[in-house]
């Protein structure tokens, strides 16, 4: 059995594929490097915003993200994922400068609305470009490792940069937003350098005239048609909702309330967040540590239940246990994210509007997250943090086995389903491909 750190003996990555991976790493790192993330609450409060205004903006942000995802996925399939990444980087650069120019409620509202627009432009397009680009170069087996490594590098950058925010703000209070804008501008440089895909890639040829006449509605109808024809894809998207919602609510909305509830002071919150980020980064870069004895679908289901168990453990643990559970929670999130992305991409049939379908998944994720954020606010306002954690864990533990059984039954009853015991047998385009033996152990780009 090959060791998890061993490099496969297959051919090296093509030069074009290596370039795509390098530039994707740079784009993902710089685009998502939001220096203001650890201090935006205090920054807005110092600017005169009330707590109702701050959390109200967050609620609007979640809803706006869902609404923006509807057209932006279709935009990516119409103008090409590469052009959509460039547009998203431009919007993100402007968004990060808005609080510097207008430090008011209106300015922060515009800032978060623009952040939602910029991120929705890239949420589906980034994965679509990477997946199609590597597949076009015959390097699709490296996708999982490339997706996980890009996420890990972005998280590692946050660990290194976030501790510098406090000292930099002493020199220039607006430093977090200025640096975030500079990072977004750097991501634009990476997007401009991305190569055009090979002839069978989606960026390589102009959109046929017949499709152009259909407009965005054509792409949307095509995406909905794929979802109607592939219940497996729909269930896989629903399966991923639990992972995204739990990770987002815990690591953003409940992170500080949980620590404060266990007597962990604000002075150590940065260190705890850094430790969680390190755990998530290491796990994101090593999805090959997950055994092949379970299918990717099973891993996502099982790890979602583990996330729920970590939330339940936060109720009973002391300060050290809480920190350890939060780090374990972050590590599990790091493992499951690239596997879930690969499952969705594998389940999308060839020729389907990939970016639009990935945006549909993001819409579902953000919509559920918006509802969860409202519920979390109600629980916290009533002083029922423990009940919130417990109910979240119970709902996840009930929902995930039901979804897993439904997925298993659907795959067994499908007349096109391949035999999992024969990896050489052809598989239908909507059947998730299992992790190969050396998946993720590909040479680093």
């Amino acid at each position: 059995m090959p060791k998890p750190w061993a490099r496969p003996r297959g051919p090296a990555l093509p030069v074009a594929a290596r370039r795509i991976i390098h530039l994707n790493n740079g784009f993902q790192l710089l685009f998502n490097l939001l220096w203001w993330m650890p201090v935006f609450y205090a920054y807005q409060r110092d600017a005169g915003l009330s707590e109702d205004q701050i959390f109200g903006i967050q609620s609007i942000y979640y809803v706006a993200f869902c609404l923006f995802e509807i057209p932006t996925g279709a935009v990516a399939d119409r103008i090409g994922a590469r052009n959509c990444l460039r547009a998203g980087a431009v919007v993100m650069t402007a968004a990060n400068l808005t609080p510097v120019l207008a430090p008011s409620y209106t300015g922060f509202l515009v800032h978060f609305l623009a952040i939602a627009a910029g991120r929705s432009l890239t949420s589906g397009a980034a994965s679509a470009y990477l997946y199609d680009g590597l597949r076009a170069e015959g390097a699709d087996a490296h996708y999982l490792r490339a997706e996980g490594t890009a996420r890990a590098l972005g998280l590692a950058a946050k660990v290194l940069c976030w501790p510098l925010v406090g000292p930099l703000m002493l020199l220039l209070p607006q430093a977090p937003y200025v640096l975030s804008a500079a990072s977004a501008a750097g991501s634009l440089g990476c997007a401009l350098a991305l190569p055009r895909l090979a002839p069978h890639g989606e960026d390589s040829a102009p959109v046929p005239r017949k499709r152009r006449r259909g407009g965005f509605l054509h792409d949307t109808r095509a995406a909905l048609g794929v979802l109607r024809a592939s219940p497996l894809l729909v269930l896989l998207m629903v399966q991923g909702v639990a992972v995204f919602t739990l990770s987002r609510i815990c690591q953003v909305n409940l992170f500080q309330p949980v620590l404060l509830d266990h007597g962990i002071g604000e002075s150590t919150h940065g260190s705890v967040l850094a430790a969680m980020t390190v755990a998530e980064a290491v796990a994101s870069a090593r999805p090959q540590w997950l055994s092949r004895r379970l299918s990717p679908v099973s891993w996502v289901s099982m790890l979602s239940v583990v996330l729920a168990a970590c939330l339940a453990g936060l109720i009973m643990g002391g300060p050290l246990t809480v920190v350890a559970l939060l780090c374990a929670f972050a590590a599990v999130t790091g493992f499951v994210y690239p596997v879930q992305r690969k499952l969705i991409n594998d389940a999308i049939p060839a020729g389907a509007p990939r970016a639009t379908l990935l945006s549909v998944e993001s819409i579902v994720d953000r919509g559920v997250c918006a509802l969860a954020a409202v519920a979390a606010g109600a629980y916290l306002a009533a002083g029922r943090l423990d009940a919130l954690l417990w109910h979240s864990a119970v709902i996840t533990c009930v929902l995930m086995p039901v979804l897993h059984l439904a997925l298993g039954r659907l795959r067994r009853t499908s007349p096109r389903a391949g035999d999992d015991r024969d990896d050489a047998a052809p598989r239908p385009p909507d059947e998730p491909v299992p992790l190969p033996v050396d998946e993720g152990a590909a040479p680093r780009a």
Side-chain angles (χ1 to χ4, degrees):
M1 178 180 293
K3 295 181 179 179
W5 56 84
R7 295 174 182 266
R9 298 181 181 179
L13 273 172
V15 175
R18 191 179 298 273
R19 182 185 178 196
I20 288 173
I21 292 176
H22 278 310
L23 290 172
N24 178 71
N25 289 344
F27 179 87
Q28 296 285 6
L29 188 157
L30 294 170
F31 186 86
N32 295 300
L33 185 55
L34 303 178
W35 293 73
W36 47 262
M37 183 65 74
V39 297
F40 78 93
Y41 173 78
Y43 192 94
Q44 292 179 67
R45 192 170 55 182
D46 291 342
L49 274 68
S50 66
E51 290 193 358
D52 289 340
Q53 289 176 317
I54 294 173
F55 286 103
I57 290 175
Q58 289 297 299
S59 298
I60 295 172
Y61 165 76
Y62 281 123
V63 175
F65 207 128
C66 291
L67 296 177
F68 288 147
E69 282 284 2
I70 297 173
T72 53
V75 167
D77 284 318
R78 301 292 297 175
I79 68 175
R82 184 178 58 163
N83 291 329
C84 209
L85 294 178
R86 296 170 179 176
V90 171
V91 173
M92 186 66 79
T93 302
N96 286 318
L97 289 175
T98 303
V100 178
L101 302 175
S104 61
Y105 174 83
T106 301
F108 285 112
L109 177 59
V110 172
H111 162 70
F112 273 101
L113 289 175
I115 291 290
R119 296 188 71 175
S120 64
L121 280 167
T122 63
S123 63
S127 284
Y129 179 88
L130 178 63
Y131 189 86
D132 285 332
L134 294 182
R135 186 176 59 181
E137 299 298 333
D140 48 324
H142 296 259
Y143 168 77
L144 180 61
R145 177 62 177 269
E147 186 82 69
T149 299
R151 182 173 174 82
L153 290 174
L155 293 170
K158 293 175 183 178
V159 172
L160 295 175
C161 295
W162 280 348
L164 303 176
V165 171
L168 289 172
M169 289 185 70
L170 296 177
L171 301 176
L172 179 66
Q174 300 85 3
Y177 291 94
V178 174
L179 290 172
S180 297
S183 298
S187 72
L188 175 60
C190 293
L192 291 173
L194 286 171
R196 183 181 294 274
L197 299 187
H200 43 294
E202 64 178 12
D203 275 354
S204 57
V207 180
R209 287 185 179 179
K210 184 176 181 180
R211 187 177 176 188
R212 286 182 185 276
R213 287 198 296 265
F216 297 142
L217 292 178
H218 179 279
D219 292 325
T220 302
R221 286 195 297 267
L224 294 177
V226 171
L227 292 175
R228 285 195 298 267
S230 178
L232 180 63
L233 177 58
V234 175
L235 285 179
L236 288 173
M237 288 182 175
V238 175
Q239 185 188 45
V241 168
V243 176
F244 182 85
T245 303
L246 287 176
S247 62
R248 180 74 181 179
I249 295 299
C250 179
Q251 293 176 298
V252 176
N253 300 92
L254 297 182
F255 167 70
Q256 287 188 310
V258 166
L259 293 181
L260 292 172
D261 187 64
H262 288 82
I264 301 175
E266 294 182 0
S267 61
T268 62
H269 289 188
S271 299
V272 176
L273 183 59
M276 292 172 61
T277 307
V278 169
E280 186 174 354
V282 171
S284 293
R286 292 294 182 270
Q288 73 272 15
W289 286 353
L290 300 178
S291 170
R292 290 189 79 235
R293 295 180 180 179
L294 292 179
S295 68
V297 174
S298 299
W299 272 119
V300 174
S301 298
M302 188 183 73
L303 292 176
S304 299
V305 174
V306 174
L307 290 176
C310 290
L311 289 181
L314 294 174
I315 301 172
M316 300 171 285
L320 293 179
T321 303
V322 166
V323 172
L325 286 172
L326 287 173
C327 289
F329 185 97
V332 174
T333 301
F335 276 130
V336 76
Y337 179 81
V339 176
Q340 172 65 16
R341 298 302 289 178
K342 185 179 189 303
L343 273 172
I344 296 297
N345 273 297
D346 284 342
I348 296 176
R354 184 176 302 276
T356 302
L357 286 166
L358 291 174
S359 291
V360 170
E361 181 201 17
S362 186
I363 290 171
V364 176
D365 289 340
R366 302 288 176 173
V368 175
C369 195
L371 295 175
V374 173
Y379 273 92
L380 291 175
R384 302 181 62 200
L385 176 60
D386 288 353
L388 171 61
L389 296 173
W390 177 249
H391 292 165
S392 300
V394 170
I395 292 173
T396 303
C397 289
V398 171
L399 177 63
M400 294 313 298
V402 173
L403 281 174
H404 187 75
L405 291 174
L407 281 166
R409 182 177 180 181
L410 181 62
R411 296 174 70 182
R412 285 193 303 270
T413 57
S414 173
R416 302 177 61 196
D419 186 354
D420 288 342
R421 293 170 297 180
D422 183 7
D423 289 338
R427 295 177 181 270
D430 61 346
E431 181 78 8
V433 179
L435 299 176
V437 174
D438 59 356
E439 181 71 73
R444 287 184 177 273

